[in-house]
Amino acid sequence: MSKAQQRLTQISSHLSNTAPVPTESSSRSSILNPSPDDIVVTACLRTPFTRGGKGLLKDTAAADLLVYTFKSLLSRSKLSPSLIEDIAVGSVLPPGGGATEFRAAALAAGIPETAAVKSLNRQCSSGLQACVDIAHAIKCGMIEIGIGAGVESMSMQYGPGAVTEFSELLDSHPEAKNCKVPMGMLSEQMAKDRGISRDVQDAFAANSYQKAFEAQKAGRFDEEIAPLEGVKWIDPKTDEIKTIRVDKDDGIRPGVTKESLGKVRPAFAKDGSIHGGNASQISDGAAGVLMMKRSTAERLGQKIIGKFVASSVVGVKPLLMGIGPWKAIPVVLEKTGLEISDIDIFEINEAFASQCVWCADQLKIPAEKLNPNGGAIAFGHPLGCTGARQVSTLFAELGRQNKKIGLTSMCVGTGMGMAAIWIKE
């Protein structure tokens, strides 16, 4: 062998020894390692969720819920409001997208006019999209500090008026036309097509209620919930306006079993399997997430709760809206080099028991890792709020379990899915 060949062999050996193929454990270690450029969360919280049209927040406008949320974020973080540069608010139902009243809400909360505000609507993932937008704005250097938020008053704005009539052009396209099929009806069809029995759905829903009831009783939601003081509420029995305190979710019910849910009448077909007890509750609520770079947080003395790692968003057929998490979760895992087994807790929105069960089964998510404190079936799904709510729910539970890696995800109306990876400090 010539000297040149010997040298090439040496170099090849060095390269093979010093550049090992990344493994699952190395991907996990890499993500857990802190960096000055990490996009971190220094405060996250939500209002209580209350029943749409019936609960204690039924008379509170969405923008007012945001005022409470912004004030609570500032109070918890002790951050000067003058440092906030941008706020993104996810919301589905407000006319005009809520842009005007959400800007007004920021001002009313004591955030100066120097902070910009935008509203956005990606259906049920709007709250998560708001957080991701702020994270990306920080990462690219557009801003240093921002808030991702979500809000919905389904009491005031839910109903047929929230959906625009389709033009003849859209109605004439078979796939486009499917975008306006009500989610309950398409979920009913999906349950039939995928063989998801009512028994399975009711068992999953009952488990969600039971977990949420135990969590509420043990005070496990207290960390993420910011109580609301001075709420105006109209007593439906007397029409008297009362000033009240709202400090807990009111949709959580004790004693719910698979058998009790089995007595509820199907909502979308006489022989159907989906009903009010195994689908997400119509609710009111808001949530917020304060974000900045790690280096900024350390400079300002902000306590770091965790960090945002990556997100994914995908499209699926409109009639298969419910499979969105099944499609989105593998994408974000591939981006981060992680596997299902690396994730300590999954917060997947329970839009319908049918779709959540199917996605979890297909992805082989261990039941004990999925929504440990229940989900939207038990305590509600204010549409634009849920994606932001999941962040505080996830971080609180990761801390309680002394775990590190969490994933949030949801299906999205008209046929989409979204997911994100978060790390607890």
Side-chain angles (χ1 to χ4, degrees), residues 220 223 372-373 394-403 424:
R220 293 204 292 271
E223 181 181 339
N373 294 316
L394 178 67
F395 278 142
E397 185 61 18
L398 283 169
R400 193 181 72 84
Q401 293 190 22
N402 196 28
K403 298 292 179 63
K424 180 77 170 82

Side-chain angles (χ1 to χ4, degrees), residues 32-350:
L32 292 175
N33 287 337
S35 162
D37 291 330
D38 286 338
I39 308 304
V40 301
V41 174
T42 63
C44 55
L45 50 79
R46 66 177 177 95
T47 69
F49 284 2
T50 67
R51 294 174 297 162
K54 301 175 181 178
L56 297 177
L57 296 177
K58 68 181 178 65
D59 303 306
T60 305
D64 290 0
L65 291 173
L66 275 181
V67 174
Y68 286 114
T69 301
F70 294 154
K71 284 184 174 181
S72 296
L73 273 178
L74 293 171
S75 176
R76 280 201 188 180
S77 68
K78 303 294 190 293
L79 183 77
S80 169
S82 65
L83 297 176
I84 296 168
E85 295 173 89
D86 197 11
I87 300 170
V89 182
S91 199
V92 177
L93 301 175
T100 301
E101 60 265 39
F102 296 167
R103 163 69 164 164
L107 295 170
I111 298 171
E113 73 281 357
T114 50
V117 181
K118 73 171 179 179
S119 64
L120 62 93
N121 181 358
R122 199 197 286 276
Q123 306 274 22
C124 303
S125 68
S126 299
L128 176 56
Q129 187 65 62
C131 295
V132 171
D133 281 5
I134 291 297
H136 289 171
I138 295 168
K139 196 169 188 67
C140 75
M142 184 178 179
I143 62 172
E144 275 197 291
I145 300 173
I147 294 173
V151 67
E152 212 74 70
S153 172
M154 298 185 77
S155 291
M156 294 189 176
Q157 295 168 323
Y158 184 63
V163 181
T164 305
E165 286 296 320
F166 273 23
S167 67
E168 184 179 343
L169 175 62
L170 298 185
D171 257 340
S172 66
H173 188 284
E175 198 70 287
K177 187 175 182 178
N178 288 337
C179 287
K180 69 175 183 179
V181 175
M183 284 185 279
M185 292 175 62
L186 63 86
S187 295
E188 185 71 72
Q189 190 59 50
M190 177 189 162
K192 289 178 181 177
D193 292 346
R194 306 289 165 120
I196 310 159
S197 70
R198 171 157 180 172
D199 193 62
V200 167
Q201 294 175 58
D202 286 352
F204 179 87
N207 187 237
S208 181
Y209 272 108
Q210 291 159 12
K211 289 187 291 187
F213 176 72
E214 289 302 320
Q216 188 177 65
K217 187 169 68 173
R220 293 204 292 271
F221 292 129
D222 295 351
E223 181 181 339
E224 65 189 81
I225 290 178
L228 275 58
E229 304 282 357
V231 174
K232 301 296 183 184
W233 177 72
I234 301 174
D235 188 328
K237 294 179 180 178
T238 64
D239 285 335
E240 181 186 356
I241 299 175
K242 299 179 179 179
T243 300
I244 60 172
R245 171 186 166 93
V246 185
D247 57 11
K248 66 179 182 178
D249 304 322
D250 69 9
I252 298 173
R253 300 198 298 270
V256 177
T257 64
K258 182 181 74 171
E259 290 70 29
S260 67
L261 291 176
K263 299 174 184 177
V264 182
R265 183 181 303 173
F268 303 102
K270 285 185 178 180
D271 61 344
S273 60
I274 295 175
H275 54 81
N278 63 23
S280 56
Q281 295 184 34
I282 294 170
S283 307
D284 304 323
V289 181
L290 179 62
M291 308 176 81
M292 62 193 73
K293 279 190 177 181
R294 182 182 297 276
S295 56
T296 306
E298 290 174 346
R299 173 169 54 83
L300 295 173
Q302 287 280 296
K303 180 182 177 182
I304 297 173
I305 296 171
K307 69 178 180 180
F308 165 79
V309 178
S311 61
S312 64
V313 64
V314 301
V316 299
K317 286 186 174 295
L319 291 181
L320 294 176
M321 171 274 305
I323 72 171
W326 169 74
K327 190 78 177 289
I329 289 172
V331 175
V332 78
L333 291 175
E334 185 177 2
K335 288 176 184 291
T336 54
L338 297 173
E339 298 185 4
I340 290 289
S341 59
D342 289 312
I343 307 301
D344 296 313
I345 295 176
F346 294 81
E347 280 289 334
I348 301 179
N349 188 41
E350 299 169 354

